[in-house]
Amino acid sequence: MMITPTPIHLLSTKSNNEIYIKRDDLLPFSFGGNKARKAVNFFSEILLKGYNVVVTYGSSSSNHCRVIANMAYKYNIPCYIITPQEDEKITLNIEFTKLFKAQVLKSPIDKVSTTIDNFMTELSKTHKPYFIQGGGHGNLGTQAYVDAYREIKDYEKKNNIYFDYIFHASGTGTTQAGLICGATLQGDLNRKIVGISIARKKEKGFAIIKKSVQDYLSSVGNNNKIAEIIFEDDYIYGGYGKYNENILSEIKNVLVYNGVPLNTTYTGKAFWGMMEYLKKNNIKNKKVLFINTGGSPLFFDDLKELK
Ligand SMILES: *Cc1c(COP(=O)(O)O)cnc(C)c1O
């Protein structure tokens, strides 16, 4: 699968700013999203180097696991997913993952890394297994959003526009690291890239993004001054997957006025966080780009809540 630039368009909102959206939810594989953009890079390496089993980690609501399982099926590569035992939520993503015949292995949450190590060691005796970190973390995942950043720059040039802000949902921080690296490589130090945390507290989230940025930049031998990392943890609302009425009503507004799906776990929570952030910081008359990082199956899980 080839990645072609995803559409960017203006949204109709009640904000005092012009809000545009980049539709990574429309990437052409397995309901798209940032996990599809990252997966393409991982599978290029898997196919190029002849790996014959893929192993990854994720929860039952994971978009990452759906996309990896789907791509593994397409390329006829067996896929194993290690998942935390506590997590019993039935979601469309887990149903898709099973449909794609991925083997789901449960592990107690505090034993996940030993489970993965042991499983990889065992598999290596008979196969050439490839491990993808949860959420598609790592330099290949970062690369996906260095490329997306370039798409944004191209759009700006073509349409004679400048986005003062880029907002997006930040989870493992890989997407944000890619955007920060993209800005760093281009010397864009004024634009504000704001990751709205969907679960992690600031200290941990920030440190992981910083490390991913440093890992990537050193892998490409770049010594530019690093663009600012803004990681906002004010909008976590109770933690991963938790949401409130305000998030639901923001999702409903974006849907009915624009026909664009957002979800409570990632994009809807981040979109709501963005609107709150703009209000709280009294930001007006700016051009703002929100990246729809996908997760459309989660939108359908949420649909019955949008009354
Ligand atoms: C995983 C995910 C994110 C978070 O991306 P990271 O690169 O892990 O920070 C955001 N939105 C959606 C829809 C996701 O599936």
Side-chain angles (χ1 to χ4, degrees):
M1 182 190 126
M2 282 277 295
I3 297 284
T4 47
T6 53
I8 293 177
H9 61 85
L10 186 62
L11 284 181
S12 162
T13 68
K14 293 200 174 90
S15 176
N16 294 318
N17 299 280
E18 275 181 33
I19 315 266
Y20 288 74
I21 190 162
K22 180 169 174 61
R23 303 292 304 277
D24 272 14
D25 56 315
L26 298 179
L27 281 164
F29 187 77
S30 203
F31 305 94
N34 63 350
K35 303 312 185 300
R37 203 183 261 282
K38 297 177 196 181
V40 170
N41 292 351
F42 288 108
F43 275 84
S44 297
E45 177 154 286
I46 289 167
L47 297 172
L48 188 72
K49 299 191 177 158
Y51 290 93
N52 54 19
V53 183
V54 57
V55 181
T56 193
Y57 170 77
S59 71
S60 61
S61 50
S62 169
N63 295 309
H64 169 70
C65 294
R66 178 194 76 245
V67 171
I68 296 300
N70 202 163
M71 214 171 271
Y73 194 99
K74 169 182 158 90
Y75 292 117
N76 199 20
I77 299 170
C79 176
Y80 293 89
I81 288 168
I82 319 277
T83 205
Q85 212 145 44
E86 292 75 17
D87 186 15
E88 300 292 344
K89 215 155 111 191
I90 303 295
T91 64
L92 292 173
N93 277 335
I94 193 74
E95 290 185 35
F96 279 118
T97 301
K98 287 179 177 160
L99 187 71
F100 302 137
K101 300 232 167 15
Q103 300 278 335
V104 178
L105 309 174
K106 300 240 170 190
S107 163
I109 190 129
D110 56 334
K111 298 216 169 62
V112 162
S113 69
T114 4
T115 304
I116 292 169
D117 288 349
N118 294 344
F119 189 60
M120 288 298 286
T121 309
E122 207 48 44
L123 269 179
S124 301
K125 292 176 184 164
T126 48
H127 295 78
K128 191 176 173 187
Y130 186 87
F131 180 67
I132 304 175
Q133 290 187 60
H137 194 62
N139 281 349
L140 290 173
T142 304
Q143 180 66 52
Y145 275 83
V146 170
D147 296 339
Y149 189 85
R150 201 171 302 124
E151 291 177 14
I152 294 167
K153 290 282 282 186
D154 288 346
Y155 178 89
E156 288 183 319
K157 220 176 278 165
K158 228 185 246 163
N159 295 279
N160 198 19
I161 189 174
Y162 175 78
F163 297 117
D164 304 282
Y165 289 84
I166 298 175
F167 284 86
H168 65 93
S170 203
T172 68
T174 319
T175 299
Q176 189 163 5
L179 295 169
I180 301 281
C181 289
T184 301
L185 294 176
Q186 310 250 5
D188 287 347
L189 300 180
N190 293 325
R191 192 199 309 278
K192 301 243 180 294
I193 298 169
V194 186
I196 303 289
S197 176
I198 51 88
R200 282 180 183 158
K201 299 299 283 177
K202 195 167 210 154
E203 202 170 85
K204 180 180 179 194
F206 182 91
I208 292 174
I209 294 166
K210 190 167 169 202
K211 175 156 191 315
S212 302
V213 168
Q214 287 166 339
D215 282 353
Y216 179 85
L217 292 174
S218 75
S219 79
V220 297
N222 184 280
N223 296 313
N224 286 3
K225 182 172 171 5
I226 293 176
E228 188 185 3
I229 301 169
I230 307 172
F231 183 79
E232 275 298 324
D233 68 356
D234 282 350
Y235 310 102
I236 294 171
Y237 186 74
Y240 185 76
K242 301 281 197 302
Y243 56 93
N244 60 15
E245 284 302 316
N246 296 331
I247 295 172
L248 287 173
S249 83
E250 200 62 63
I251 291 173
K252 193 168 168 187
N253 281 336
V254 174
L255 178 70
V256 298
Y257 291 115
N258 300 280
V260 174
L262 301 175
N263 59 76
T264 53
T265 307
Y266 296 104
T267 51
K269 187 183 256 190
F271 195 92
W272 167 72
M274 170 181 76
M275 296 301 245
E276 294 290 309
Y277 181 99
L278 293 170
K279 266 188 267 170
K280 188 177 93 182
N281 293 288
N282 203 20
I283 297 165
K284 287 184 181 137
N285 306 319
K286 298 288 186 198
K287 292 198 166 49
V288 173
L289 180 67
F290 179 82
I291 303 180
N292 186 340
T293 44
S296 297
L298 297 173
F299 166 82
F300 290 100
D301 285 330
D302 294 335
L303 186 56
K304 55 194 170 305
E305 307 286 319
L306 298 181
K307 279 165 228 135

